[in-house]
Amino acid sequence: MNENILVPIEQEGQRVLLTSQLAESYETEVQVITNNFNRNKARYQEGKHYYALEGEAKHNFLNQTQIDLGSVKNAKTLYLWTERGALLHAKSLNTDRAWEVYDRLVETYFRAAALLKGKPVKPGKTEAQLAAETKRADAMLLNAKNRTASFLKGIYDAANVKPEYQALALGELFSDNGVKLPRIALAGTKVTYDKGTIADRLGVLSKNGNPHAQAVGAIIGNLTIDDDETEAVPFHRHGHDGTDIQYTESVIQKVDDWLKQYGYPAMIPGRAGKSYSVTYRKEK
């Protein structure tokens, strides 16, 4: 563990750690702690494993805490991790170093305040108890994933998503549980691209320099696309699930031909009188 002495921070009568302190102690990056939390939010309970301070609550905490919090004080939400929260992060990291540091944090930081105040310290849980809790939590998470998979399958069926693509999407959902999709399950699936990827490949950009997916969609709307040139593919982005229409390599060629035919116009006409302003990555 980093030998720098941790300045005690308390919230509602118990010691807590900033995300940066926890990351430094576990010898990892702040983003790793954040990612582990976001992936396993179902296991965390606010007030038990962490505190998320915003607005007035955050303002009051900053006024009462006489230490330099650095740039973290400017974040919208200030996360504080309790002893139990630190335990869950040690489980997520699951390295010998993380467990060694966690034990030391318990002895020298989290429970040190109670010892100084002369309060009895509750004994820690045994390895068997911790293993049983982990097993129960994993089972609860797997049940939740099973319910999610059942819900998503209904969406995919309604959107006529082919079984091999459903298997691919659901395989990603269960990848953390050791479920791996057999390579044969993807045999025969065609390579497809979403509108954003097509825009990036052809250099069709917005004024901000980003791939202009909507403009490419407008071009595709003006083309004759055969059924075997499209595929309904599941997606999961920013916590949202659904299906997206993707296109084969031949459609990319058709879009490229359209751009050449019309001289790479600065405005791409869409439907209902709407048009899209575009730029191009390089001179055509």
Side-chain angles (χ1 to χ4, degrees), residues 65-83:
T65 304
Q66 302 300 315
I67 63 172
D68 182 13
L69 299 181
S71 61
V72 72
K73 64 183 178 181
N74 298 320
K76 177 183 177 182
T77 305
L78 179 65
Y79 286 94
L80 306 172
W81 305 99
T82 66
E83 178 185 336

Side-chain angles (χ1 to χ4, degrees), residues 150-188:
S150 179
F151 173 74
L152 290 177
K153 190 176 186 307
I155 294 177
Y156 298 156
D157 287 341
N160 296 318
V161 176
K162 291 182 177 179
E164 56 266 33
Y165 288 101
Q166 293 191 32
L168 179 60
L170 297 179
E172 292 179 358
L173 177 64
F174 289 98
S175 61
D176 291 341
N177 301 95
V179 178
K180 295 185 178 180
L181 183 68
R183 296 182 68 87
I184 194 172
L186 298 180

Side-chain angles (χ1 to χ4, degrees), residues 129-146:
Q129 289 174 320
L130 292 174
E133 286 188 357
T134 299
K135 187 176 181 179
R136 285 195 296 272
D138 288 341
M140 291 174 63
L141 182 60
L142 185 57
N143 286 336
K145 286 186 176 182
N146 285 333

Side-chain angles (χ1 to χ4, degrees), residues 10 20 49 63 65 76 81 147 154 159 177 186 193 225 229 269:
E10 292 194 2
S20 57
H49 298 102
N63 285 339
T65 304
K76 177 183 177 182
W81 305 99
R147 292 192 296 271
N177 301 95
L186 298 180
Y193 308 88
I225 306 297
E229 293 181 302

Side-chain angles (χ1 to χ4, degrees), residues 14 83-84 102 106-107 110-115 118-126 129:
Q14 63 177 321
E83 178 185 336
R84 291 182 176 181
Y102 171 73
V106 170
E107 295 175 2
F110 287 115
R111 300 185 185 180
L115 291 173
K119 296 180 180 179
V121 178
K122 295 181 179 180
K125 295 181 179 180
T126 64
Q129 289 174 320

